[in-house]
């Protein structure tokens, strides 16, 4: 996955995300996901996207895939790759750091620790 100019990608801020049902793809690593992620998000680490296209094919086709990472860099690369591969993908600017800062819900995988964004 090559470097891309984020200015050339479809991008939304967390506050611009549509209300209601949306497809959110989290491309962070496993430890980041386990520490804290958006409820209902799909988790496929950036480096695993090309090998997991069968999972992507199961996502709803009638709406864009909103791609999120920690701050927006990895998700920009994933968005560029997805769009080049035939999906309609939109980068979420500011990533999970912005998601958390906007007061959106976050859940973790370990019930002994409160969720956090790594």
């Amino acid at each position: 996955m090559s470097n891309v100019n984020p200015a050339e990608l479809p991008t939304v801020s967390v506050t611009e995300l549509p209300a209601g049902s949306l497809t959110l793809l989290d491309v962070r690593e496993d430890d980041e996901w386990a520490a804290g992620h958006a409820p209902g998000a799909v988790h496929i680490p950036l480096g695993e996207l090309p090998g997991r296209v069968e999972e992507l094919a199961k996502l709803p086709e009638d709406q864009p895939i909103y791609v999120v990472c920690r701050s927006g860099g990895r998700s920009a690369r994933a968005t560029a790759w997805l769009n080049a591969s035939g999906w309609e993908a939109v980068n979420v600017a500011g990533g999970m750091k912005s998601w958390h800062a906007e007061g959106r819900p976050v859940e973790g995988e370990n019930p002994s620790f409160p969720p956090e964004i790594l």
Side-chain angles (χ1 to χ4, degrees):
M1 292 183 210
S2 61
N3 285 338
V4 295
N5 179 353
E8 297 172 4
L9 291 174
T11 302
V12 297
S13 68
V14 171
T15 56
E16 294 170 327
L17 286 169
S21 174
L22 60 89
T23 301
L24 190 67
L25 174 64
D26 191 323
V27 296
R28 297 176 301 151
E29 296 302 317
D30 292 338
D31 61 326
E32 294 172 289
W33 168 264
H37 57 268
V42 175
H43 179 231
I44 303 177
L46 177 63
E48 297 178 19
L49 276 177
R52 293 174 67 178
V53 291
E54 70 284 349
E55 291 172 62
L56 294 168
K58 295 176 186 173
L59 298 176
E61 293 181 18
D62 61 342
Q63 60 185 346
I65 299 169
Y66 293 94
V67 188
V68 68
C69 65
R70 183 172 54 88
S71 59
R74 285 172 286 179
S75 58
R77 293 199 301 275
T79 298
W81 182 83
L82 287 164
N83 285 333
S85 301
W87 279 277
E88 181 187 354
V90 179
N91 188 30
V92 178
M96 285 303 297
K97 289 226 175 257
S98 289
W99 178 278
H100 190 251
E102 292 289 340
R104 299 280 184 124
V106 176
E107 62 186 23
E109 297 293 303
N110 187 337
S112 301
F113 298 100
E116 63 176 332
I117 306 304
L118 296 182

PDB file of all heavy atoms in Angstrom, residues 25-65:
ATOM      1  N   LEU A  25     -14.928   0.450   9.744  1.00  0.00           N
ATOM      2  CA  LEU A  25     -13.831  -0.518   9.648  1.00  0.00           C
ATOM      3  C   LEU A  25     -12.630   0.033  10.400  1.00  0.00           C
ATOM      4  O   LEU A  25     -12.099   1.084  10.055  1.00  0.00           O
ATOM      5  CB  LEU A  25     -13.472  -0.753   8.173  1.00  0.00           C
ATOM      6  CG  LEU A  25     -12.241  -1.628   7.911  1.00  0.00           C
ATOM      7  CD1 LEU A  25     -12.448  -3.050   8.421  1.00  0.00           C
ATOM      8  CD2 LEU A  25     -11.916  -1.639   6.422  1.00  0.00           C
ATOM      9  N   ASP A  26     -12.210  -0.670  11.440  1.00  0.00           N
ATOM     10  CA  ASP A  26     -11.074  -0.272  12.269  1.00  0.00           C
ATOM     11  C   ASP A  26      -9.840  -1.033  11.776  1.00  0.00           C
ATOM     12  O   ASP A  26      -9.823  -2.263  11.808  1.00  0.00           O
ATOM     13  CB  ASP A  26     -11.371  -0.610  13.731  1.00  0.00           C
ATOM     14  CG  ASP A  26     -10.391  -0.025  14.723  1.00  0.00           C
ATOM     15  OD1 ASP A  26      -9.173   0.029  14.413  1.00  0.00           O
ATOM     16  OD2 ASP A  26     -10.836   0.366  15.820  1.00  0.00           O
ATOM     17  N   VAL A  27      -8.823  -0.301  11.300  1.00  0.00           N
ATOM     18  CA  VAL A  27      -7.640  -0.944  10.716  1.00  0.00           C
ATOM     19  C   VAL A  27      -6.428  -0.908  11.654  1.00  0.00           C
ATOM     20  O   VAL A  27      -5.304  -1.129  11.230  1.00  0.00           O
ATOM     21  CB  VAL A  27      -7.280  -0.328   9.334  1.00  0.00           C
ATOM     22  CG1 VAL A  27      -8.401  -0.581   8.337  1.00  0.00           C
ATOM     23  CG2 VAL A  27      -6.981   1.166   9.433  1.00  0.00           C
ATOM     24  N   ARG A  28      -6.673  -0.677  12.949  1.00  0.00           N
ATOM     25  CA  ARG A  28      -5.571  -0.668  13.918  1.00  0.00           C
ATOM     26  C   ARG A  28      -5.127  -2.088  14.253  1.00  0.00           C
ATOM     27  O   ARG A  28      -5.778  -3.065  13.907  1.00  0.00           O
ATOM     28  CB  ARG A  28      -6.005   0.077  15.189  1.00  0.00           C
ATOM     29  CG  ARG A  28      -6.326   1.544  14.928  1.00  0.00           C
ATOM     30  CD  ARG A  28      -6.850   2.248  16.176  1.00  0.00           C
ATOM     31  NE  ARG A  28      -8.052   1.569  16.647  1.00  0.00           N
ATOM     32  CZ  ARG A  28      -8.441   1.521  17.922  1.00  0.00           C
ATOM     33  NH1 ARG A  28      -7.721   2.107  18.861  1.00  0.00           N
ATOM     34  NH2 ARG A  28      -9.539   0.889  18.267  1.00  0.00           N
ATOM     35  N   GLU A  29      -4.018  -2.182  14.975  1.00  0.00           N
ATOM     36  CA  GLU A  29      -3.484  -3.486  15.362  1.00  0.00           C
ATOM     37  C   GLU A  29      -4.321  -4.102  16.482  1.00  0.00           C
ATOM     38  O   GLU A  29      -5.111  -3.431  17.136  1.00  0.00           O
ATOM     39  CB  GLU A  29      -2.014  -3.343  15.806  1.00  0.00           C
ATOM     40  CG  GLU A  29      -1.086  -2.890  14.694  1.00  0.00           C
ATOM     41  CD  GLU A  29      -1.085  -3.826  13.483  1.00  0.00           C
ATOM     42  OE1 GLU A  29      -1.070  -5.053  13.675  1.00  0.00           O
ATOM     43  OE2 GLU A  29      -1.121  -3.313  12.349  1.00  0.00           O
ATOM     44  N   ASP A  30      -4.114  -5.402  16.712  1.00  0.00           N
ATOM     45  CA  ASP A  30      -4.911  -6.152  17.684  1.00  0.00           C
ATOM     46  C   ASP A  30      -4.874  -5.545  19.083  1.00  0.00           C
ATOM     47  O   ASP A  30      -5.899  -5.486  19.755  1.00  0.00           O
ATOM     48  CB  ASP A  30      -4.451  -7.611  17.746  1.00  0.00           C
ATOM     49  CG  ASP A  30      -4.767  -8.379  16.462  1.00  0.00           C
ATOM     50  OD1 ASP A  30      -5.676  -7.956  15.719  1.00  0.00           O
ATOM     51  OD2 ASP A  30      -4.103  -9.394  16.209  1.00  0.00           O
ATOM     52  N   ASP A  31      -3.693  -5.095  19.544  1.00  0.00           N
ATOM     53  CA  ASP A  31      -3.604  -4.552  20.903  1.00  0.00           C
ATOM     54  C   ASP A  31      -4.378  -3.242  21.021  1.00  0.00           C
ATOM     55  O   ASP A  31      -5.005  -2.969  22.047  1.00  0.00           O
ATOM     56  CB  ASP A  31      -2.147  -4.373  21.342  1.00  0.00           C
ATOM     57  CG  ASP A  31      -1.365  -3.401  20.468  1.00  0.00           C
ATOM     58  OD1 ASP A  31      -1.624  -3.326  19.245  1.00  0.00           O
ATOM     59  OD2 ASP A  31      -0.480  -2.711  21.002  1.00  0.00           O
ATOM     60  N   GLU A  32      -4.361  -2.429  19.961  1.00  0.00           N
ATOM     61  CA  GLU A  32      -5.106  -1.171  19.967  1.00  0.00           C
ATOM     62  C   GLU A  32      -6.607  -1.452  20.002  1.00  0.00           C
ATOM     63  O   GLU A  32      -7.369  -0.807  20.723  1.00  0.00           O
ATOM     64  CB  GLU A  32      -4.776  -0.351  18.719  1.00  0.00           C
ATOM     65  CG  GLU A  32      -3.335   0.134  18.669  1.00  0.00           C
ATOM     66  CD  GLU A  32      -3.012   0.775  17.330  1.00  0.00           C
ATOM     67  OE1 GLU A  32      -2.915   0.033  16.324  1.00  0.00           O
ATOM     68  OE2 GLU A  32      -2.883   2.006  17.297  1.00  0.00           O
ATOM     69  N   TRP A  33      -7.042  -2.408  19.185  1.00  0.00           N
ATOM     70  CA  TRP A  33      -8.451  -2.808  19.137  1.00  0.00           C
ATOM     71  C   TRP A  33      -8.905  -3.299  20.510  1.00  0.00           C
ATOM     72  O   TRP A  33      -9.958  -2.901  21.008  1.00  0.00           O
ATOM     73  CB  TRP A  33      -8.633  -3.887  18.077  1.00  0.00           C
ATOM     74  CG  TRP A  33      -9.958  -4.584  18.117  1.00  0.00           C
ATOM     75  CD1 TRP A  33     -10.241  -5.759  18.738  1.00  0.00           C
ATOM     76  CD2 TRP A  33     -11.188  -4.153  17.515  1.00  0.00           C
ATOM     77  NE1 TRP A  33     -11.566  -6.091  18.544  1.00  0.00           N
ATOM     78  CE2 TRP A  33     -12.173  -5.129  17.806  1.00  0.00           C
ATOM     79  CE3 TRP A  33     -11.550  -3.044  16.747  1.00  0.00           C
ATOM     80  CZ2 TRP A  33     -13.484  -5.024  17.363  1.00  0.00           C
ATOM     81  CZ3 TRP A  33     -12.870  -2.946  16.313  1.00  0.00           C
ATOM     82  CH2 TRP A  33     -13.814  -3.916  16.618  1.00  0.00           C
ATOM     83  N   ALA A  34      -8.114  -4.184  21.121  1.00  0.00           N
ATOM     84  CA  ALA A  34      -8.507  -4.774  22.402  1.00  0.00           C
ATOM     85  C   ALA A  34      -8.630  -3.710  23.489  1.00  0.00           C
ATOM     86  O   ALA A  34      -9.494  -3.800  24.357  1.00  0.00           O
ATOM     87  CB  ALA A  34      -7.497  -5.845  22.822  1.00  0.00           C
ATOM     88  N   ALA A  35      -7.792  -2.683  23.440  1.00  0.00           N
ATOM     89  CA  ALA A  35      -7.816  -1.637  24.466  1.00  0.00           C
ATOM     90  C   ALA A  35      -9.081  -0.785  24.375  1.00  0.00           C
ATOM     91  O   ALA A  35      -9.628  -0.382  25.403  1.00  0.00           O
ATOM     92  CB  ALA A  35      -6.582  -0.754  24.347  1.00  0.00           C
ATOM     93  N   GLY A  36      -9.528  -0.525  23.160  1.00  0.00           N
ATOM     94  CA  GLY A  36     -10.739   0.274  23.016  1.00  0.00           C
ATOM     95  C   GLY A  36     -11.105   0.504  21.566  1.00  0.00           C
ATOM     96  O   GLY A  36     -10.253   0.882  20.766  1.00  0.00           O
ATOM     97  N   HIS A  37     -12.374   0.245  21.239  1.00  0.00           N
ATOM     98  CA  HIS A  37     -12.855   0.425  19.867  1.00  0.00           C
ATOM     99  C   HIS A  37     -14.322   0.828  19.886  1.00  0.00           C
ATOM    100  O   HIS A  37     -14.989   0.739  20.917  1.00  0.00           O
ATOM    101  CB  HIS A  37     -12.661  -0.864  19.055  1.00  0.00           C
ATOM    102  CG  HIS A  37     -13.331  -2.047  19.661  1.00  0.00           C
ATOM    103  ND1 HIS A  37     -12.673  -2.883  20.544  1.00  0.00           N
ATOM    104  CD2 HIS A  37     -14.590  -2.527  19.564  1.00  0.00           C
ATOM    105  CE1 HIS A  37     -13.504  -3.839  20.937  1.00  0.00           C
ATOM    106  NE2 HIS A  37     -14.680  -3.638  20.361  1.00  0.00           N
ATOM    107  N   ALA A  38     -14.799   1.263  18.734  1.00  0.00           N
ATOM    108  CA  ALA A  38     -16.205   1.647  18.601  1.00  0.00           C
ATOM    109  C   ALA A  38     -17.077   0.394  18.611  1.00  0.00           C
ATOM    110  O   ALA A  38     -16.761  -0.582  17.932  1.00  0.00           O
ATOM    111  CB  ALA A  38     -16.404   2.416  17.300  1.00  0.00           C
ATOM    112  N   PRO A  39     -18.174   0.417  19.368  1.00  0.00           N
ATOM    113  CA  PRO A  39     -19.092  -0.723  19.350  1.00  0.00           C
ATOM    114  C   PRO A  39     -19.604  -0.979  17.935  1.00  0.00           C
ATOM    115  O   PRO A  39     -19.938  -0.037  17.214  1.00  0.00           O
ATOM    116  CB  PRO A  39     -20.231  -0.276  20.270  1.00  0.00           C
ATOM    117  CG  PRO A  39     -19.639   0.792  21.133  1.00  0.00           C
ATOM    118  CD  PRO A  39     -18.606   1.467  20.280  1.00  0.00           C
ATOM    119  N   GLY A  40     -19.621  -2.239  17.534  1.00  0.00           N
ATOM    120  CA  GLY A  40     -20.141  -2.595  16.225  1.00  0.00           C
ATOM    121  C   GLY A  40     -19.166  -2.447  15.073  1.00  0.00           C
ATOM    122  O   GLY A  40     -19.489  -2.785  13.941  1.00  0.00           O
ATOM    123  N   ALA A  41     -17.974  -1.947  15.348  1.00  0.00           N
ATOM    124  CA  ALA A  41     -16.977  -1.790  14.278  1.00  0.00           C
ATOM    125  C   ALA A  41     -16.473  -3.162  13.826  1.00  0.00           C
ATOM    126  O   ALA A  41     -16.514  -4.136  14.580  1.00  0.00           O
ATOM    127  CB  ALA A  41     -15.806  -0.938  14.759  1.00  0.00           C
ATOM    128  N   VAL A  42     -16.000  -3.206  12.591  1.00  0.00           N
ATOM    129  CA  VAL A  42     -15.357  -4.396  12.035  1.00  0.00           C
ATOM    130  C   VAL A  42     -13.859  -4.189  12.171  1.00  0.00           C
ATOM    131  O   VAL A  42     -13.349  -3.111  11.849  1.00  0.00           O
ATOM    132  CB  VAL A  42     -15.746  -4.571  10.545  1.00  0.00           C
ATOM    133  CG1 VAL A  42     -14.995  -5.743   9.924  1.00  0.00           C
ATOM    134  CG2 VAL A  42     -17.248  -4.743  10.409  1.00  0.00           C
ATOM    135  N   HIS A  43     -13.127  -5.210  12.646  1.00  0.00           N
ATOM    136  CA  HIS A  43     -11.688  -5.067  12.862  1.00  0.00           C
ATOM    137  C   HIS A  43     -10.897  -5.900  11.869  1.00  0.00           C
ATOM    138  O   HIS A  43     -10.982  -7.126  11.875  1.00  0.00           O
ATOM    139  CB  HIS A  43     -11.329  -5.489  14.294  1.00  0.00           C
ATOM    140  CG  HIS A  43      -9.877  -5.406  14.588  1.00  0.00           C
ATOM    141  ND1 HIS A  43      -9.167  -6.452  15.133  1.00  0.00           N
ATOM    142  CD2 HIS A  43      -8.975  -4.410  14.403  1.00  0.00           C
ATOM    143  CE1 HIS A  43      -7.910  -6.092  15.277  1.00  0.00           C
ATOM    144  NE2 HIS A  43      -7.762  -4.864  14.833  1.00  0.00           N
ATOM    145  N   ILE A  44     -10.153  -5.215  10.999  1.00  0.00           N
ATOM    146  CA  ILE A  44      -9.189  -5.881  10.120  1.00  0.00           C
ATOM    147  C   ILE A  44      -7.944  -4.993  10.091  1.00  0.00           C
ATOM    148  O   ILE A  44      -7.988  -3.889   9.543  1.00  0.00           O
ATOM    149  CB  ILE A  44      -9.725  -6.076   8.683  1.00  0.00           C
ATOM    150  CG1 ILE A  44     -11.045  -6.868   8.680  1.00  0.00           C
ATOM    151  CG2 ILE A  44      -8.668  -6.792   7.826  1.00  0.00           C
ATOM    152  CD1 ILE A  44     -11.670  -7.030   7.297  1.00  0.00           C
ATOM    153  N   PRO A  45      -6.840  -5.417  10.713  1.00  0.00           N
ATOM    154  CA  PRO A  45      -5.631  -4.586  10.697  1.00  0.00           C
ATOM    155  C   PRO A  45      -5.201  -4.240   9.264  1.00  0.00           C
ATOM    156  O   PRO A  45      -5.385  -5.045   8.342  1.00  0.00           O
ATOM    157  CB  PRO A  45      -4.589  -5.454  11.397  1.00  0.00           C
ATOM    158  CG  PRO A  45      -5.393  -6.359  12.284  1.00  0.00           C
ATOM    159  CD  PRO A  45      -6.653  -6.645  11.499  1.00  0.00           C
ATOM    160  N   LEU A  46      -4.653  -3.042   9.102  1.00  0.00           N
ATOM    161  CA  LEU A  46      -4.261  -2.535   7.787  1.00  0.00           C
ATOM    162  C   LEU A  46      -3.488  -3.559   6.966  1.00  0.00           C
ATOM    163  O   LEU A  46      -3.814  -3.816   5.813  1.00  0.00           O
ATOM    164  CB  LEU A  46      -3.422  -1.254   7.949  1.00  0.00           C
ATOM    165  CG  LEU A  46      -2.865  -0.647   6.666  1.00  0.00           C
ATOM    166  CD1 LEU A  46      -3.988  -0.189   5.743  1.00  0.00           C
ATOM    167  CD2 LEU A  46      -1.930   0.505   6.982  1.00  0.00           C
ATOM    168  N   GLY A  47      -2.466  -4.178   7.547  1.00  0.00           N
ATOM    169  CA  GLY A  47      -1.626  -5.110   6.819  1.00  0.00           C
ATOM    170  C   GLY A  47      -2.335  -6.385   6.380  1.00  0.00           C
ATOM    171  O   GLY A  47      -1.842  -7.106   5.522  1.00  0.00           O
ATOM    172  N   GLU A  48      -3.497  -6.661   6.980  1.00  0.00           N
ATOM    173  CA  GLU A  48      -4.238  -7.882   6.657  1.00  0.00           C
ATOM    174  C   GLU A  48      -5.360  -7.660   5.641  1.00  0.00           C
ATOM    175  O   GLU A  48      -5.986  -8.626   5.187  1.00  0.00           O
ATOM    176  CB  GLU A  48      -4.829  -8.485   7.939  1.00  0.00           C
ATOM    177  CG  GLU A  48      -3.772  -8.914   8.940  1.00  0.00           C
ATOM    178  CD  GLU A  48      -4.371  -9.472  10.220  1.00  0.00           C
ATOM    179  OE1 GLU A  48      -5.562  -9.868  10.218  1.00  0.00           O
ATOM    180  OE2 GLU A  48      -3.659  -9.507  11.242  1.00  0.00           O
ATOM    181  N   LEU A  49      -5.630  -6.399   5.269  1.00  0.00           N
ATOM    182  CA  LEU A  49      -6.746  -6.115   4.361  1.00  0.00           C
ATOM    183  C   LEU A  49      -6.705  -6.930   3.066  1.00  0.00           C
ATOM    184  O   LEU A  49      -7.709  -7.567   2.723  1.00  0.00           O
ATOM    185  CB  LEU A  49      -6.802  -4.624   4.019  1.00  0.00           C
ATOM    186  CG  LEU A  49      -7.517  -3.715   5.015  1.00  0.00           C
ATOM    187  CD1 LEU A  49      -7.409  -2.270   4.552  1.00  0.00           C
ATOM    188  CD2 LEU A  49      -8.961  -4.097   5.195  1.00  0.00           C
ATOM    189  N   PRO A  50      -5.584  -6.941   2.332  1.00  0.00           N
ATOM    190  CA  PRO A  50      -5.594  -7.669   1.055  1.00  0.00           C
ATOM    191  C   PRO A  50      -5.910  -9.154   1.207  1.00  0.00           C
ATOM    192  O   PRO A  50      -6.522  -9.745   0.314  1.00  0.00           O
ATOM    193  CB  PRO A  50      -4.180  -7.454   0.507  1.00  0.00           C
ATOM    194  CG  PRO A  50      -3.709  -6.199   1.163  1.00  0.00           C
ATOM    195  CD  PRO A  50      -4.324  -6.218   2.538  1.00  0.00           C
ATOM    196  N   GLY A  51      -5.526  -9.751   2.342  1.00  0.00           N
ATOM    197  CA  GLY A  51      -5.764 -11.172   2.546  1.00  0.00           C
ATOM    198  C   GLY A  51      -7.130 -11.497   3.127  1.00  0.00           C
ATOM    199  O   GLY A  51      -7.468 -12.663   3.303  1.00  0.00           O
ATOM    200  N   ARG A  52      -7.911 -10.467   3.437  1.00  0.00           N
ATOM    201  CA  ARG A  52      -9.209 -10.704   4.090  1.00  0.00           C
ATOM    202  C   ARG A  52     -10.364 -10.077   3.305  1.00  0.00           C
ATOM    203  O   ARG A  52     -11.364  -9.666   3.882  1.00  0.00           O
ATOM    204  CB  ARG A  52      -9.146 -10.187   5.529  1.00  0.00           C
ATOM    205  CG  ARG A  52      -8.167 -11.024   6.361  1.00  0.00           C
ATOM    206  CD  ARG A  52      -7.932 -10.495   7.757  1.00  0.00           C
ATOM    207  NE  ARG A  52      -9.114 -10.583   8.590  1.00  0.00           N
ATOM    208  CZ  ARG A  52      -9.124 -10.204   9.878  1.00  0.00           C
ATOM    209  NH1 ARG A  52      -8.027  -9.732  10.451  1.00  0.00           N
ATOM    210  NH2 ARG A  52     -10.241 -10.270  10.581  1.00  0.00           N
ATOM    211  N   VAL A  53     -10.206 -10.036   1.984  1.00  0.00           N
ATOM    212  CA  VAL A  53     -11.244  -9.419   1.148  1.00  0.00           C
ATOM    213  C   VAL A  53     -12.580 -10.152   1.240  1.00  0.00           C
ATOM    214  O   VAL A  53     -13.627  -9.543   1.040  1.00  0.00           O
ATOM    215  CB  VAL A  53     -10.797  -9.271  -0.330  1.00  0.00           C
ATOM    216  CG1 VAL A  53      -9.703  -8.245  -0.472  1.00  0.00           C
ATOM    217  CG2 VAL A  53     -10.392 -10.608  -0.905  1.00  0.00           C
ATOM    218  N   GLU A  54     -12.554 -11.445   1.582  1.00  0.00           N
ATOM    219  CA  GLU A  54     -13.815 -12.166   1.700  1.00  0.00           C
ATOM    220  C   GLU A  54     -14.661 -11.594   2.836  1.00  0.00           C
ATOM    221  O   GLU A  54     -15.883 -11.583   2.765  1.00  0.00           O
ATOM    222  CB  GLU A  54     -13.595 -13.685   1.881  1.00  0.00           C
ATOM    223  CG  GLU A  54     -13.010 -14.108   3.215  1.00  0.00           C
ATOM    224  CD  GLU A  54     -11.504 -13.840   3.369  1.00  0.00           C
ATOM    225  OE1 GLU A  54     -10.843 -13.509   2.372  1.00  0.00           O
ATOM    226  OE2 GLU A  54     -11.014 -13.964   4.494  1.00  0.00           O
ATOM    227  N   GLU A  55     -14.002 -11.092   3.894  1.00  0.00           N
ATOM    228  CA  GLU A  55     -14.749 -10.444   4.981  1.00  0.00           C
ATOM    229  C   GLU A  55     -15.307  -9.105   4.518  1.00  0.00           C
ATOM    230  O   GLU A  55     -16.431  -8.738   4.860  1.00  0.00           O
ATOM    231  CB  GLU A  55     -13.847 -10.245   6.196  1.00  0.00           C
ATOM    232  CG  GLU A  55     -13.476 -11.553   6.880  1.00  0.00           C
ATOM    233  CD  GLU A  55     -12.431 -11.343   7.957  1.00  0.00           C
ATOM    234  OE1 GLU A  55     -12.729 -10.602   8.924  1.00  0.00           O
ATOM    235  OE2 GLU A  55     -11.329 -11.901   7.822  1.00  0.00           O
ATOM    236  N   LEU A  56     -14.503  -8.376   3.736  1.00  0.00           N
ATOM    237  CA  LEU A  56     -14.966  -7.089   3.213  1.00  0.00           C
ATOM    238  C   LEU A  56     -16.177  -7.282   2.299  1.00  0.00           C
ATOM    239  O   LEU A  56     -17.093  -6.463   2.293  1.00  0.00           O
ATOM    240  CB  LEU A  56     -13.843  -6.392   2.437  1.00  0.00           C
ATOM    241  CG  LEU A  56     -12.629  -5.962   3.268  1.00  0.00           C
ATOM    242  CD1 LEU A  56     -11.487  -5.556   2.351  1.00  0.00           C
ATOM    243  CD2 LEU A  56     -12.999  -4.829   4.205  1.00  0.00           C
ATOM    244  N   ALA A  57     -16.191  -8.371   1.554  1.00  0.00           N
ATOM    245  CA  ALA A  57     -17.287  -8.636   0.625  1.00  0.00           C
ATOM    246  C   ALA A  57     -18.616  -8.840   1.348  1.00  0.00           C
ATOM    247  O   ALA A  57     -19.680  -8.689   0.750  1.00  0.00           O
ATOM    248  CB  ALA A  57     -16.960  -9.853  -0.234  1.00  0.00           C
ATOM    249  N   LYS A  58     -18.580  -9.161   2.640  1.00  0.00           N
ATOM    250  CA  LYS A  58     -19.797  -9.384   3.415  1.00  0.00           C
ATOM    251  C   LYS A  58     -20.395  -8.092   3.965  1.00  0.00           C
ATOM    252  O   LYS A  58     -21.504  -8.091   4.488  1.00  0.00           O
ATOM    253  CB  LYS A  58     -19.506 -10.334   4.587  1.00  0.00           C
ATOM    254  CG  LYS A  58     -19.110 -11.729   4.143  1.00  0.00           C
ATOM    255  CD  LYS A  58     -18.736 -12.588   5.336  1.00  0.00           C
ATOM    256  CE  LYS A  58     -18.209 -13.940   4.885  1.00  0.00           C
ATOM    257  NZ  LYS A  58     -17.688 -14.717   6.009  1.00  0.00           N
ATOM    258  N   LEU A  59     -19.652  -6.985   3.847  1.00  0.00           N
ATOM    259  CA  LEU A  59     -20.153  -5.711   4.366  1.00  0.00           C
ATOM    260  C   LEU A  59     -21.265  -5.180   3.458  1.00  0.00           C
ATOM    261  O   LEU A  59     -21.292  -5.477   2.268  1.00  0.00           O
ATOM    262  CB  LEU A  59     -19.005  -4.690   4.457  1.00  0.00           C
ATOM    263  CG  LEU A  59     -17.866  -5.072   5.405  1.00  0.00           C
ATOM    264  CD1 LEU A  59     -16.748  -4.038   5.329  1.00  0.00           C
ATOM    265  CD2 LEU A  59     -18.367  -5.212   6.835  1.00  0.00           C
ATOM    266  N   PRO A  60     -22.189  -4.385   4.014  1.00  0.00           N
ATOM    267  CA  PRO A  60     -23.287  -3.852   3.189  1.00  0.00           C
ATOM    268  C   PRO A  60     -22.745  -3.068   1.988  1.00  0.00           C
ATOM    269  O   PRO A  60     -21.820  -2.281   2.118  1.00  0.00           O
ATOM    270  CB  PRO A  60     -24.027  -2.911   4.153  1.00  0.00           C
ATOM    271  CG  PRO A  60     -23.652  -3.362   5.520  1.00  0.00           C
ATOM    272  CD  PRO A  60     -22.272  -3.943   5.408  1.00  0.00           C
ATOM    273  N   GLU A  61     -23.353  -3.311   0.829  1.00  0.00           N
ATOM    274  CA  GLU A  61     -22.895  -2.658  -0.395  1.00  0.00           C
ATOM    275  C   GLU A  61     -23.625  -1.351  -0.678  1.00  0.00           C
ATOM    276  O   GLU A  61     -23.228  -0.603  -1.564  1.00  0.00           O
ATOM    277  CB  GLU A  61     -23.069  -3.607  -1.590  1.00  0.00           C
ATOM    278  CG  GLU A  61     -22.167  -4.819  -1.514  1.00  0.00           C
ATOM    279  CD  GLU A  61     -22.337  -5.721  -2.726  1.00  0.00           C
ATOM    280  OE1 GLU A  61     -22.869  -5.264  -3.752  1.00  0.00           O
ATOM    281  OE2 GLU A  61     -21.922  -6.884  -2.641  1.00  0.00           O
ATOM    282  N   ASP A  62     -24.677  -1.062   0.086  1.00  0.00           N
ATOM    283  CA  ASP A  62     -25.489   0.117  -0.199  1.00  0.00           C
ATOM    284  C   ASP A  62     -25.055   1.351   0.583  1.00  0.00           C
ATOM    285  O   ASP A  62     -25.727   2.375   0.578  1.00  0.00           O
ATOM    286  CB  ASP A  62     -26.965  -0.189   0.092  1.00  0.00           C
ATOM    287  CG  ASP A  62     -27.206  -0.566   1.555  1.00  0.00           C
ATOM    288  OD1 ASP A  62     -26.238  -0.915   2.255  1.00  0.00           O
ATOM    289  OD2 ASP A  62     -28.374  -0.523   1.977  1.00  0.00           O
ATOM    290  N   GLN A  63     -23.917   1.253   1.271  1.00  0.00           N
ATOM    291  CA  GLN A  63     -23.408   2.405   2.016  1.00  0.00           C
ATOM    292  C   GLN A  63     -21.890   2.349   2.035  1.00  0.00           C
ATOM    293  O   GLN A  63     -21.299   1.287   1.872  1.00  0.00           O
ATOM    294  CB  GLN A  63     -23.966   2.414   3.442  1.00  0.00           C
ATOM    295  CG  GLN A  63     -23.614   1.171   4.257  1.00  0.00           C
ATOM    296  CD  GLN A  63     -24.277   1.167   5.625  1.00  0.00           C
ATOM    297  OE1 GLN A  63     -24.785   2.170   6.080  1.00  0.00           O
ATOM    298  NE2 GLN A  63     -24.274   0.025   6.275  1.00  0.00           N
ATOM    299  N   PRO A  64     -21.251   3.514   2.216  1.00  0.00           N
ATOM    300  CA  PRO A  64     -19.787   3.512   2.230  1.00  0.00           C
ATOM    301  C   PRO A  64     -19.228   2.821   3.478  1.00  0.00           C
ATOM    302  O   PRO A  64     -19.916   2.671   4.481  1.00  0.00           O
ATOM    303  CB  PRO A  64     -19.421   4.995   2.227  1.00  0.00           C
ATOM    304  CG  PRO A  64     -20.644   5.727   2.636  1.00  0.00           C
ATOM    305  CD  PRO A  64     -21.817   4.847   2.353  1.00  0.00           C
ATOM    306  N   ILE A  65     -17.979   2.416   3.363  1.00  0.00           N
ATOM    307  CA  ILE A  65     -17.237   1.887   4.504  1.00  0.00           C
ATOM    308  C   ILE A  65     -16.468   3.064   5.091  1.00  0.00           C
ATOM    309  O   ILE A  65     -15.667   3.703   4.400  1.00  0.00           O
ATOM    310  CB  ILE A  65     -16.249   0.794   4.065  1.00  0.00           C
ATOM    311  CG1 ILE A  65     -16.987  -0.381   3.421  1.00  0.00           C
ATOM    312  CG2 ILE A  65     -15.395   0.324   5.256  1.00  0.00           C
ATOM    313  CD1 ILE A  65     -16.065  -1.376   2.730  1.00  0.00           C
TER     314      ILE A  65
END
